[in-house]
Amino acid sequence: MKHNHKLLSALLLGAASLFSVSAHAALNVLACEPEWEALTKEIGGDKVKVSSATNGLQDPHRIEARPGLIARTRNADLLVCTGLELEVGWLPVLVQQSGNAKIAAGQPGHFEAGSFVPRLDVPNKLDRSEGDVHAAGNPHIQQNPHNIALVAAALSKRLAELDPADAAYFQSRQADFSARWNAAMLKWEKQAAPLRGIAVVEHHKNMEYLMNWLGMRQVGTLEAKPGVEPSAAHLGELLAQLQRQPAKMVIRAGYQDARASQWLAEHAKIPAVLLPFTVGGDAKATDLFSLFDVTVQRLVEANK
């Protein structure tokens, strides 16, 4: 009998220890894009374990659901994605294959950053003949740091909902991030003041939020339609247009092929500018702050 009491006590102690670890375990977060992985680290600190489904040199519209990614999805407590149909080509299948109901659309474990920001390029009607058009608007919201600030506030609240015991911790980190971010935005906007009103060509319609923030004007795209690769005929037409209506530079993201922008830059005699587009899209863009440091610096230098 005495032996049974000792065994029971040991089992209860083990169960209590296991419960304690579980109650204080970090939230498993899977971000769809590197910018949301970086933001989750800023807000979640050591209370989250976060990874990204894509890296800075991948087109976030399309990736392959490999077994390792399915396993991370299966174990996630929270999914942090852009939404606005950016991941429509792979995320629904990934979530279905994972069998993880708590991160399904509409659940607290499913967070869409695009739901918390003002959207650009929302079409009046959806016409697929116009290319890869998103019905909910342009999804590349991370290009405006004011959007990052809005998403940070919403993400802090969501983390607190999922982990109430650490709510004060998330609020404190969000307040600290907000103070540093607001100061950085003032610096970037002062540095970028000469860019206001300049005309640019972009590869794909994925820099609209950046241009809207800095007051730049898009006068053409290398793609004839969104999602359609640049053709020789279209590039010729674009070059003729620029001879009548010059642009200061042609910009592209790190994951996009350089050949079309280099061809146009050479023939139109304007700089071809590579922008990181997201965290990890460039060796110098290692976090959200350096992402915008690099972006503003390259645009300003190209405008001189």
Side-chain angles (χ1 to χ4, degrees):
M1 184 64 120
K2 187 174 180 180
H3 176 74
N4 289 340
H5 275 301
K6 285 184 177 179
L7 178 60
L8 180 60
S9 297
L11 289 172
L12 289 174
L13 182 61
S17 299
L18 182 62
F19 177 76
S20 177
V21 170
S22 177
H24 294 88
L27 286 173
N28 278 319
V29 182
L30 178 64
C32 286
E33 290 85 26
E35 61 268 23
W36 308 133
E37 177 189 21
L39 184 61
T40 304
K41 288 178 179 175
E42 290 279 359
I43 307 300
D46 61 5
K47 305 299 182 186
V48 299
K49 290 172 60 178
V50 57
S51 64
S52 177
T54 60
N55 64 51
L57 296 178
Q58 282 183 302
D59 182 348
H61 293 89
R62 50 186 71 87
I63 64 167
E64 185 177 346
R66 296 181 181 277
L69 179 56
I70 296 173
R72 282 189 283 153
T73 309
R74 183 178 301 120
N75 295 326
D77 301 303
L78 174 64
L79 195 62
V80 180
C81 300
T82 298
L84 306 183
E85 299 183 345
L86 177 62
E87 305 96 353
V88 69
W90 54 272
L91 185 60
V93 174
L94 182 63
V95 173
Q96 183 182 34
Q97 289 182 340
S98 76
N100 186 351
K102 62 185 176 184
I103 61 167
Q107 297 302 310
H110 190 104
F111 180 93
E112 291 192 351
S115 302
F116 302 98
V117 304
R119 293 171 236 167
L120 301 177
D121 299 338
V122 179
N124 293 324
K125 63 175 183 178
L126 196 59
D127 184 351
R128 293 299 182 189
S129 69
E130 293 303 312
D132 188 13
V133 177
H134 297 273
N138 193 312
H140 305 292
I141 62 171
Q142 85 284 0
Q143 292 279 283
N144 184 335
H146 290 274
N147 288 344
I148 298 287
L150 293 171
V151 175
L155 182 58
S156 173
K157 292 178 182 175
R158 184 65 59 90
L159 290 171
E161 290 172 13
L162 294 174
D163 180 8
D166 290 315
Y169 175 84
F170 298 133
Q171 291 168 1
S172 173
R173 288 189 64 91
Q174 198 276 328
D176 175 69
F177 172 77
S178 178
R180 291 183 288 120
W181 195 247
N182 287 338
M185 284 197 290
L186 289 176
K187 178 190 71 174
W188 295 323
E189 288 168 1
K190 183 177 180 180
Q191 292 171 338
L195 298 172
R196 187 159 293 279
I198 71 165
V200 301
V201 173
E202 61 179 329
H203 185 114
H204 173 72
K205 284 179 67 68
N206 58 355
M207 303 286 183
E208 317 309 305
Y209 291 91
L210 175 66
M211 292 187 287
N212 184 261
W213 171 46
L214 298 178
M216 302 161 68
R217 294 184 296 115
Q218 186 250 70
V219 294
T221 59
L222 300 180
E223 296 177 344
K225 296 178 180 179
V228 177
E229 288 301 313
S231 66
H234 177 67
L235 291 177
E237 292 172 0
L238 187 56
L239 178 60
Q241 174 195 316
L242 294 184
Q243 290 170 343
R244 302 187 303 272
Q245 184 185 17
K248 290 289 291 189
M249 63 188 78
V250 53
I251 58 179
R252 69 176 176 88
Y255 69 85
Q256 290 167 325
D257 193 308
R259 289 174 293 181
S261 61
Q262 288 173 345
W263 182 91
L264 188 69
E266 180 181 342
H267 288 80
K269 302 188 185 313
I270 57 177
V273 183
L274 171 62
L275 299 179
F277 189 67
T278 185
V279 175
D282 182 285
K284 295 182 178 179
T286 56
D287 58 21
L288 289 168
F289 290 89
S290 55
L291 166 63
F292 284 96
D293 282 340
V294 172
T295 298
V296 170
Q297 180 187 15
R298 293 208 177 140
L299 291 171
V300 170
E301 287 178 353
N303 188 46
K304 289 180 179 176

mmCIF file of all heavy atoms in Angstrom, residues 106-154:
data_model
loop_
_atom_site.group_PDB
_atom_site.id
_atom_site.type_symbol
_atom_site.label_atom_id
_atom_site.label_comp_id
_atom_site.label_asym_id
_atom_site.label_seq_id
_atom_site.Cartn_x
_atom_site.Cartn_y
_atom_site.Cartn_z
ATOM 1 N N GLY A 106 -11.359 31.795 -40.410
ATOM 2 C CA GLY A 106 -12.455 32.118 -39.503
ATOM 3 C C GLY A 106 -12.185 31.751 -38.060
ATOM 4 O O GLY A 106 -12.928 32.182 -37.164
ATOM 5 N N GLN A 107 -11.137 30.969 -37.812
ATOM 6 C CA GLN A 107 -10.798 30.580 -36.447
ATOM 7 C C GLN A 107 -9.823 31.595 -35.831
ATOM 8 O O GLN A 107 -9.104 32.296 -36.553
ATOM 9 C CB GLN A 107 -10.161 29.181 -36.438
ATOM 10 C CG GLN A 107 -11.082 28.079 -36.919
ATOM 11 C CD GLN A 107 -12.355 27.994 -36.074
ATOM 12 O OE1 GLN A 107 -12.295 27.949 -34.847
ATOM 13 N NE2 GLN A 107 -13.504 28.015 -36.738
ATOM 14 N N PRO A 108 -9.758 31.682 -34.480
ATOM 15 C CA PRO A 108 -8.811 32.623 -33.846
ATOM 16 C C PRO A 108 -7.360 32.376 -34.254
ATOM 17 O O PRO A 108 -6.551 33.303 -34.233
ATOM 18 C CB PRO A 108 -9.018 32.336 -32.347
ATOM 19 C CG PRO A 108 -10.411 31.799 -32.254
ATOM 20 C CD PRO A 108 -10.619 30.999 -33.505
ATOM 21 N N GLY A 109 -7.038 31.168 -34.644
ATOM 22 C CA GLY A 109 -5.669 30.858 -35.052
ATOM 23 C C GLY A 109 -5.345 31.242 -36.482
ATOM 24 O O GLY A 109 -4.257 30.932 -36.969
ATOM 25 N N HIS A 110 -6.261 31.919 -37.135
ATOM 26 C CA HIS A 110 -6.054 32.332 -38.533
ATOM 27 C C HIS A 110 -6.088 33.860 -38.592
ATOM 28 O O HIS A 110 -7.136 34.470 -38.433
ATOM 29 C CB HIS A 110 -7.154 31.736 -39.415
ATOM 30 C CG HIS A 110 -6.912 31.904 -40.878
ATOM 31 N ND1 HIS A 110 -6.486 30.866 -41.690
ATOM 32 C CD2 HIS A 110 -7.014 32.980 -41.697
ATOM 33 C CE1 HIS A 110 -6.367 31.297 -42.929
ATOM 34 N NE2 HIS A 110 -6.684 32.594 -42.965
ATOM 35 N N PHE A 111 -4.937 34.463 -38.800
ATOM 36 C CA PHE A 111 -4.803 35.925 -38.780
ATOM 37 C C PHE A 111 -4.429 36.410 -40.172
ATOM 38 O O PHE A 111 -3.417 35.988 -40.730
ATOM 39 C CB PHE A 111 -3.705 36.316 -37.778
ATOM 40 C CG PHE A 111 -3.453 37.789 -37.657
ATOM 41 C CD1 PHE A 111 -4.104 38.540 -36.680
ATOM 42 C CD2 PHE A 111 -2.548 38.429 -38.497
ATOM 43 C CE1 PHE A 111 -3.859 39.907 -36.562
ATOM 44 C CE2 PHE A 111 -2.300 39.787 -38.373
ATOM 45 C CZ PHE A 111 -2.953 40.529 -37.404
ATOM 46 N N GLU A 112 -5.249 37.316 -40.725
ATOM 47 C CA GLU A 112 -4.968 37.883 -42.050
ATOM 48 C C GLU A 112 -4.651 39.361 -41.913
ATOM 49 O O GLU A 112 -5.523 40.177 -41.602
ATOM 50 C CB GLU A 112 -6.157 37.669 -42.986
ATOM 51 C CG GLU A 112 -6.370 36.210 -43.358
ATOM 52 C CD GLU A 112 -7.349 36.040 -44.507
ATOM 53 O OE1 GLU A 112 -7.995 37.035 -44.895
ATOM 54 O OE2 GLU A 112 -7.453 34.907 -45.014
ATOM 55 N N ALA A 113 -3.392 39.722 -42.156
ATOM 56 C CA ALA A 113 -2.938 41.102 -41.982
ATOM 57 C C ALA A 113 -3.695 42.078 -42.873
ATOM 58 O O ALA A 113 -3.952 43.228 -42.484
ATOM 59 C CB ALA A 113 -1.438 41.172 -42.281
ATOM 60 N N GLY A 114 -4.060 41.627 -44.064
ATOM 61 C CA GLY A 114 -4.740 42.510 -45.008
ATOM 62 C C GLY A 114 -6.092 43.003 -44.532
ATOM 63 O O GLY A 114 -6.629 43.979 -45.079
ATOM 64 N N SER A 115 -6.635 42.363 -43.501
ATOM 65 C CA SER A 115 -7.945 42.771 -42.973
ATOM 66 C C SER A 115 -7.853 44.038 -42.135
ATOM 67 O O SER A 115 -8.886 44.624 -41.793
ATOM 68 C CB SER A 115 -8.523 41.650 -42.085
ATOM 69 O OG SER A 115 -8.647 40.459 -42.807
ATOM 70 N N PHE A 116 -6.642 44.477 -41.810
ATOM 71 C CA PHE A 116 -6.483 45.573 -40.851
ATOM 72 C C PHE A 116 -5.915 46.846 -41.466
ATOM 73 O O PHE A 116 -5.535 47.764 -40.736
ATOM 74 C CB PHE A 116 -5.590 45.099 -39.693
ATOM 75 C CG PHE A 116 -6.115 43.893 -38.980
ATOM 76 C CD1 PHE A 116 -5.646 42.624 -39.287
ATOM 77 C CD2 PHE A 116 -7.126 44.014 -38.031
ATOM 78 C CE1 PHE A 116 -6.153 41.500 -38.645
ATOM 79 C CE2 PHE A 116 -7.644 42.903 -37.390
ATOM 80 C CZ PHE A 116 -7.160 41.639 -37.692
ATOM 81 N N VAL A 117 -5.821 46.903 -42.796
ATOM 82 C CA VAL A 117 -5.211 48.080 -43.444
ATOM 83 C C VAL A 117 -6.116 48.586 -44.564
ATOM 84 O O VAL A 117 -6.908 47.829 -45.130
ATOM 85 C CB VAL A 117 -3.826 47.736 -44.030
ATOM 86 C CG1 VAL A 117 -2.911 47.171 -42.949
ATOM 87 C CG2 VAL A 117 -3.944 46.761 -45.191
ATOM 88 N N PRO A 118 -5.995 49.876 -44.914
ATOM 89 C CA PRO A 118 -6.699 50.372 -46.102
ATOM 90 C C PRO A 118 -6.115 49.742 -47.354
ATOM 91 O O PRO A 118 -4.903 49.629 -47.482
ATOM 92 C CB PRO A 118 -6.407 51.889 -46.071
ATOM 93 C CG PRO A 118 -5.858 52.184 -44.721
ATOM 94 C CD PRO A 118 -5.221 50.936 -44.230
ATOM 95 N N ARG A 119 -6.970 49.307 -48.274
ATOM 96 C CA ARG A 119 -6.488 48.570 -49.443
ATOM 97 C C ARG A 119 -6.479 49.430 -50.703
ATOM 98 O O ARG A 119 -7.342 50.288 -50.883
ATOM 99 C CB ARG A 119 -7.374 47.352 -49.689
ATOM 100 C CG ARG A 119 -7.272 46.315 -48.597
ATOM 101 C CD ARG A 119 -8.318 45.234 -48.773
ATOM 102 N NE ARG A 119 -9.144 45.109 -47.596
ATOM 103 C CZ ARG A 119 -10.282 44.429 -47.565
ATOM 104 N NH1 ARG A 119 -10.741 43.850 -48.662
ATOM 105 N NH2 ARG A 119 -10.972 44.345 -46.448
ATOM 106 N N LEU A 120 -5.530 49.160 -51.561
ATOM 107 C CA LEU A 120 -5.412 49.830 -52.854
ATOM 108 C C LEU A 120 -5.839 48.864 -53.966
ATOM 109 O O LEU A 120 -5.798 47.648 -53.793
ATOM 110 C CB LEU A 120 -3.963 50.274 -53.095
ATOM 111 C CG LEU A 120 -3.355 51.242 -52.071
ATOM 112 C CD1 LEU A 120 -1.892 51.511 -52.419
ATOM 113 C CD2 LEU A 120 -4.138 52.541 -52.001
ATOM 114 N N ASP A 121 -6.197 49.441 -55.112
ATOM 115 C CA ASP A 121 -6.483 48.670 -56.335
ATOM 116 C C ASP A 121 -7.601 47.645 -56.154
ATOM 117 O O ASP A 121 -7.525 46.527 -56.694
ATOM 118 C CB ASP A 121 -5.219 47.932 -56.819
ATOM 119 C CG ASP A 121 -4.082 48.865 -57.175
ATOM 120 O OD1 ASP A 121 -4.357 50.045 -57.455
ATOM 121 O OD2 ASP A 121 -2.921 48.420 -57.157
ATOM 122 N N VAL A 122 -8.639 47.994 -55.427
ATOM 123 C CA VAL A 122 -9.800 47.097 -55.332
ATOM 124 C C VAL A 122 -10.607 47.265 -56.621
ATOM 125 O O VAL A 122 -11.081 48.366 -56.918
ATOM 126 C CB VAL A 122 -10.674 47.433 -54.111
ATOM 127 C CG1 VAL A 122 -11.878 46.493 -54.049
ATOM 128 C CG2 VAL A 122 -9.860 47.360 -52.829
ATOM 129 N N PRO A 123 -10.737 46.202 -57.428
ATOM 130 C CA PRO A 123 -11.418 46.358 -58.730
ATOM 131 C C PRO A 123 -12.924 46.563 -58.569
ATOM 132 O O PRO A 123 -13.544 46.005 -57.667
ATOM 133 C CB PRO A 123 -11.109 45.034 -59.432
ATOM 134 C CG PRO A 123 -10.895 44.055 -58.316
ATOM 135 C CD PRO A 123 -10.271 44.828 -57.187
ATOM 136 N N ASN A 124 -13.489 47.380 -59.467
ATOM 137 C CA ASN A 124 -14.939 47.562 -59.471
ATOM 138 C C ASN A 124 -15.645 46.304 -59.952
ATOM 139 O O ASN A 124 -16.753 45.995 -59.540
ATOM 140 C CB ASN A 124 -15.319 48.739 -60.376
ATOM 141 C CG ASN A 124 -14.830 50.058 -59.806
ATOM 142 O OD1 ASN A 124 -14.825 50.271 -58.578
ATOM 143 N ND2 ASN A 124 -14.391 50.948 -60.680
ATOM 144 N N LYS A 125 -14.982 45.588 -60.851
ATOM 145 C CA LYS A 125 -15.503 44.299 -61.311
ATOM 146 C C LYS A 125 -14.311 43.385 -61.566
ATOM 147 O O LYS A 125 -13.205 43.859 -61.863
ATOM 148 C CB LYS A 125 -16.350 44.448 -62.573
ATOM 149 C CG LYS A 125 -15.586 44.957 -63.772
ATOM 150 C CD LYS A 125 -16.474 44.961 -65.010
ATOM 151 C CE LYS A 125 -15.678 45.398 -66.245
ATOM 152 N NZ LYS A 125 -16.494 45.375 -67.461
ATOM 153 N N LEU A 126 -14.538 42.082 -61.426
ATOM 154 C CA LEU A 126 -13.454 41.117 -61.576
ATOM 155 C C LEU A 126 -13.461 40.562 -62.992
ATOM 156 O O LEU A 126 -14.444 39.946 -63.412
ATOM 157 C CB LEU A 126 -13.612 39.984 -60.559
ATOM 158 C CG LEU A 126 -12.373 39.114 -60.329
ATOM 159 C CD1 LEU A 126 -11.202 39.956 -59.840
ATOM 160 C CD2 LEU A 126 -12.688 38.019 -59.327
ATOM 161 N N ASP A 127 -12.367 40.839 -63.726
ATOM 162 C CA ASP A 127 -12.255 40.372 -65.103
ATOM 163 C C ASP A 127 -10.909 39.661 -65.242
ATOM 164 O O ASP A 127 -9.859 40.304 -65.326
ATOM 165 C CB ASP A 127 -12.349 41.550 -66.069
ATOM 166 C CG ASP A 127 -12.334 41.108 -67.530
ATOM 167 O OD1 ASP A 127 -12.091 39.915 -67.778
ATOM 168 O OD2 ASP A 127 -12.563 41.951 -68.414
ATOM 169 N N ARG A 128 -10.922 38.317 -65.239
ATOM 170 C CA ARG A 128 -9.684 37.549 -65.288
ATOM 171 C C ARG A 128 -8.905 37.758 -66.585
ATOM 172 O O ARG A 128 -7.721 37.410 -66.650
ATOM 173 C CB ARG A 128 -9.988 36.067 -65.094
ATOM 174 C CG ARG A 128 -10.503 35.728 -63.688
ATOM 175 C CD ARG A 128 -9.484 36.086 -62.611
ATOM 176 N NE ARG A 128 -9.954 35.721 -61.272
ATOM 177 C CZ ARG A 128 -9.352 36.071 -60.136
ATOM 178 N NH1 ARG A 128 -8.268 36.828 -60.189
ATOM 179 N NH2 ARG A 128 -9.835 35.712 -58.966
ATOM 180 N N SER A 129 -9.568 38.314 -67.618
ATOM 181 C CA SER A 129 -8.828 38.594 -68.849
ATOM 182 C C SER A 129 -7.813 39.713 -68.639
ATOM 183 O O SER A 129 -6.922 39.924 -69.469
ATOM 184 C CB SER A 129 -9.796 38.981 -69.979
ATOM 185 O OG SER A 129 -10.376 40.248 -69.714
ATOM 186 N N GLU A 130 -7.934 40.422 -67.511
ATOM 187 C CA GLU A 130 -6.991 41.497 -67.191
ATOM 188 C C GLU A 130 -5.785 40.986 -66.418
ATOM 189 O O GLU A 130 -5.019 41.794 -65.871
ATOM 190 C CB GLU A 130 -7.709 42.590 -66.400
ATOM 191 C CG GLU A 130 -8.762 43.349 -67.198
ATOM 192 C CD GLU A 130 -8.185 43.990 -68.452
ATOM 193 O OE1 GLU A 130 -7.132 44.648 -68.318
ATOM 194 O OE2 GLU A 130 -8.752 43.811 -69.534
ATOM 195 N N GLY A 131 -5.636 39.657 -66.330
ATOM 196 C CA GLY A 131 -4.475 39.084 -65.661
ATOM 197 C C GLY A 131 -4.778 38.659 -64.237
ATOM 198 O O GLY A 131 -5.942 38.441 -63.868
ATOM 199 N N ASP A 132 -3.721 38.547 -63.422
ATOM 200 C CA ASP A 132 -3.834 38.060 -62.048
ATOM 201 C C ASP A 132 -4.288 39.200 -61.136
ATOM 202 O O ASP A 132 -3.512 39.777 -60.381
ATOM 203 C CB ASP A 132 -2.474 37.513 -61.602
ATOM 204 C CG ASP A 132 -2.552 36.813 -60.259
ATOM 205 O OD1 ASP A 132 -3.689 36.538 -59.811
ATOM 206 O OD2 ASP A 132 -1.496 36.544 -59.674
ATOM 207 N N VAL A 133 -5.594 39.496 -61.217
ATOM 208 C CA VAL A 133 -6.177 40.598 -60.434
ATOM 209 C C VAL A 133 -6.803 40.022 -59.169
ATOM 210 O O VAL A 133 -7.487 38.999 -59.214
ATOM 211 C CB VAL A 133 -7.242 41.343 -61.260
ATOM 212 C CG1 VAL A 133 -7.892 42.433 -60.428
ATOM 213 C CG2 VAL A 133 -6.615 41.925 -62.521
ATOM 214 N N HIS A 134 -6.580 40.675 -58.039
ATOM 215 C CA HIS A 134 -7.106 40.200 -56.752
ATOM 216 C C HIS A 134 -8.411 40.940 -56.425
ATOM 217 O O HIS A 134 -8.427 42.166 -56.357
ATOM 218 C CB HIS A 134 -6.086 40.422 -55.646
ATOM 219 C CG HIS A 134 -4.811 39.657 -55.851
ATOM 220 N ND1 HIS A 134 -4.650 38.353 -55.423
ATOM 221 C CD2 HIS A 134 -3.649 39.988 -56.468
ATOM 222 C CE1 HIS A 134 -3.437 37.921 -55.743
ATOM 223 N NE2 HIS A 134 -2.806 38.902 -56.379
ATOM 224 N N ALA A 135 -9.461 40.176 -56.195
ATOM 225 C CA ALA A 135 -10.777 40.777 -55.964
ATOM 226 C C ALA A 135 -10.811 41.656 -54.720
ATOM 227 O O ALA A 135 -11.546 42.649 -54.664
ATOM 228 C CB ALA A 135 -11.824 39.666 -55.836
ATOM 229 N N ALA A 136 -9.999 41.314 -53.714
ATOM 230 C CA ALA A 136 -10.022 42.074 -52.447
ATOM 231 C C ALA A 136 -9.044 43.244 -52.450
ATOM 232 O O ALA A 136 -8.908 43.937 -51.451
ATOM 233 C CB ALA A 136 -9.707 41.134 -51.289
ATOM 234 N N GLY A 137 -8.358 43.460 -53.574
ATOM 235 C CA GLY A 137 -7.411 44.563 -53.649
ATOM 236 C C GLY A 137 -5.973 44.077 -53.723
ATOM 237 O O GLY A 137 -5.691 42.884 -53.578
ATOM 238 N N ASN A 138 -5.077 45.007 -53.969
ATOM 239 C CA ASN A 138 -3.649 44.686 -54.063
ATOM 240 C C ASN A 138 -3.155 44.126 -52.726
ATOM 241 O O ASN A 138 -3.310 44.774 -51.690
ATOM 242 C CB ASN A 138 -2.877 45.958 -54.426
ATOM 243 C CG ASN A 138 -1.454 45.682 -54.845
ATOM 244 O OD1 ASN A 138 -0.731 44.950 -54.168
ATOM 245 N ND2 ASN A 138 -1.041 46.250 -55.961
ATOM 246 N N PRO A 139 -2.565 42.929 -52.712
ATOM 247 C CA PRO A 139 -2.219 42.304 -51.430
ATOM 248 C C PRO A 139 -0.837 42.663 -50.878
ATOM 249 O O PRO A 139 -0.498 42.213 -49.783
ATOM 250 C CB PRO A 139 -2.272 40.807 -51.771
ATOM 251 C CG PRO A 139 -1.832 40.739 -53.197
ATOM 252 C CD PRO A 139 -2.348 42.004 -53.850
ATOM 253 N N HIS A 140 -0.057 43.452 -51.591
ATOM 254 C CA HIS A 140 1.342 43.666 -51.175
ATOM 255 C C HIS A 140 1.449 44.814 -50.172
ATOM 256 O O HIS A 140 2.164 45.803 -50.373
ATOM 257 C CB HIS A 140 2.211 43.885 -52.407
ATOM 258 C CG HIS A 140 2.082 42.777 -53.399
ATOM 259 N ND1 HIS A 140 2.550 41.504 -53.145
ATOM 260 C CD2 HIS A 140 1.486 42.726 -54.632
ATOM 261 C CE1 HIS A 140 2.274 40.717 -54.188
ATOM 262 N NE2 HIS A 140 1.620 41.433 -55.091
ATOM 263 N N ILE A 141 0.738 44.655 -49.077
ATOM 264 C CA ILE A 141 0.532 45.742 -48.111
ATOM 265 C C ILE A 141 1.768 46.080 -47.297
ATOM 266 O O ILE A 141 1.865 47.155 -46.722
ATOM 267 C CB ILE A 141 -0.612 45.389 -47.146
ATOM 268 C CG1 ILE A 141 -0.249 44.134 -46.338
ATOM 269 C CG2 ILE A 141 -1.916 45.192 -47.914
ATOM 270 C CD1 ILE A 141 -1.220 43.852 -45.214
ATOM 271 N N GLN A 142 2.748 45.160 -47.234
ATOM 272 C CA GLN A 142 3.913 45.374 -46.372
ATOM 273 C C GLN A 142 4.836 46.459 -46.885
ATOM 274 O O GLN A 142 5.783 46.841 -46.205
ATOM 275 C CB GLN A 142 4.693 44.063 -46.199
ATOM 276 C CG GLN A 142 5.709 43.736 -47.285
ATOM 277 C CD GLN A 142 5.082 43.227 -48.580
ATOM 278 O OE1 GLN A 142 3.876 43.106 -48.682
ATOM 279 N NE2 GLN A 142 5.904 42.916 -49.562
ATOM 280 N N GLN A 143 4.552 46.986 -48.085
ATOM 281 C CA GLN A 143 5.417 48.004 -48.662
ATOM 282 C C GLN A 143 5.175 49.390 -48.072
ATOM 283 O O GLN A 143 5.906 50.327 -48.387
ATOM 284 C CB GLN A 143 5.203 48.042 -50.186
ATOM 285 C CG GLN A 143 5.701 46.804 -50.895
ATOM 286 C CD GLN A 143 7.197 46.854 -51.129
ATOM 287 O OE1 GLN A 143 7.673 47.541 -52.017
ATOM 288 N NE2 GLN A 143 7.951 46.163 -50.293
ATOM 289 N N ASN A 144 4.150 49.536 -47.262
ATOM 290 C CA ASN A 144 3.901 50.811 -46.562
ATOM 291 C C ASN A 144 4.088 50.573 -45.061
ATOM 292 O O ASN A 144 3.344 49.801 -44.454
ATOM 293 C CB ASN A 144 2.480 51.295 -46.851
ATOM 294 C CG ASN A 144 2.194 52.663 -46.239
ATOM 295 O OD1 ASN A 144 2.822 53.054 -45.253
ATOM 296 N ND2 ASN A 144 1.254 53.391 -46.822
ATOM 297 N N PRO A 145 5.049 51.237 -44.416
ATOM 298 C CA PRO A 145 5.285 50.980 -42.993
ATOM 299 C C PRO A 145 4.118 51.372 -42.092
ATOM 300 O O PRO A 145 4.008 50.858 -40.978
ATOM 301 C CB PRO A 145 6.535 51.807 -42.693
ATOM 302 C CG PRO A 145 6.593 52.838 -43.762
ATOM 303 C CD PRO A 145 5.992 52.215 -44.977
ATOM 304 N N HIS A 146 3.251 52.278 -42.565
ATOM 305 C CA HIS A 146 2.060 52.598 -41.770
ATOM 306 C C HIS A 146 1.151 51.370 -41.670
ATOM 307 O O HIS A 146 0.471 51.176 -40.654
ATOM 308 C CB HIS A 146 1.310 53.782 -42.395
ATOM 309 C CG HIS A 146 2.041 55.078 -42.275
ATOM 310 N ND1 HIS A 146 1.947 55.891 -41.160
ATOM 311 C CD2 HIS A 146 2.906 55.692 -43.111
ATOM 312 C CE1 HIS A 146 2.721 56.960 -41.326
ATOM 313 N NE2 HIS A 146 3.306 56.865 -42.500
ATOM 314 N N ASN A 147 1.134 50.549 -42.710
ATOM 315 C CA ASN A 147 0.375 49.306 -42.641
ATOM 316 C C ASN A 147 0.989 48.345 -41.623
ATOM 317 O O ASN A 147 0.268 47.646 -40.899
ATOM 318 C CB ASN A 147 0.327 48.631 -44.015
ATOM 319 C CG ASN A 147 -0.574 49.371 -44.988
ATOM 320 O OD1 ASN A 147 -1.383 50.211 -44.579
ATOM 321 N ND2 ASN A 147 -0.434 49.072 -46.258
ATOM 322 N N ILE A 148 2.310 48.300 -41.585
ATOM 323 C CA ILE A 148 2.989 47.438 -40.607
ATOM 324 C C ILE A 148 2.554 47.826 -39.191
ATOM 325 O O ILE A 148 2.306 46.958 -38.335
ATOM 326 C CB ILE A 148 4.519 47.572 -40.740
ATOM 327 C CG1 ILE A 148 4.989 47.125 -42.136
ATOM 328 C CG2 ILE A 148 5.230 46.786 -39.638
ATOM 329 C CD1 ILE A 148 4.966 45.664 -42.396
ATOM 330 N N ALA A 149 2.451 49.130 -38.940
ATOM 331 C CA ALA A 149 2.046 49.602 -37.608
ATOM 332 C C ALA A 149 0.627 49.144 -37.268
ATOM 333 O O ALA A 149 0.353 48.717 -36.128
ATOM 334 C CB ALA A 149 2.138 51.127 -37.551
ATOM 335 N N LEU A 150 -0.274 49.223 -38.237
ATOM 336 C CA LEU A 150 -1.656 48.788 -38.004
ATOM 337 C C LEU A 150 -1.721 47.285 -37.735
ATOM 338 O O LEU A 150 -2.445 46.824 -36.841
ATOM 339 C CB LEU A 150 -2.525 49.144 -39.215
ATOM 340 C CG LEU A 150 -2.744 50.644 -39.466
ATOM 341 C CD1 LEU A 150 -3.441 50.859 -40.809
ATOM 342 C CD2 LEU A 150 -3.567 51.262 -38.334
ATOM 343 N N VAL A 151 -0.966 46.531 -38.494
ATOM 344 C CA VAL A 151 -0.959 45.074 -38.317
ATOM 345 C C VAL A 151 -0.336 44.703 -36.970
ATOM 346 O O VAL A 151 -0.792 43.779 -36.294
ATOM 347 C CB VAL A 151 -0.208 44.395 -39.479
ATOM 348 C CG1 VAL A 151 -0.094 42.889 -39.246
ATOM 349 C CG2 VAL A 151 -0.917 44.663 -40.800
ATOM 350 N N ALA A 152 0.683 45.433 -36.561
ATOM 351 C CA ALA A 152 1.341 45.145 -35.275
ATOM 352 C C ALA A 152 0.354 45.265 -34.115
ATOM 353 O O ALA A 152 0.337 44.423 -33.202
ATOM 354 C CB ALA A 152 2.517 46.094 -35.064
ATOM 355 N N ALA A 153 -0.473 46.299 -34.135
ATOM 356 C CA ALA A 153 -1.457 46.493 -33.065
ATOM 357 C C ALA A 153 -2.468 45.347 -33.047
ATOM 358 O O ALA A 153 -2.818 44.821 -31.976
ATOM 359 C CB ALA A 153 -2.159 47.834 -33.251
ATOM 360 N N ALA A 154 -2.930 44.956 -34.231
ATOM 361 C CA ALA A 154 -3.910 43.861 -34.314
ATOM 362 C C ALA A 154 -3.279 42.526 -33.918
ATOM 363 O O ALA A 154 -3.913 41.700 -33.245
ATOM 364 C CB ALA A 154 -4.471 43.784 -35.738
#
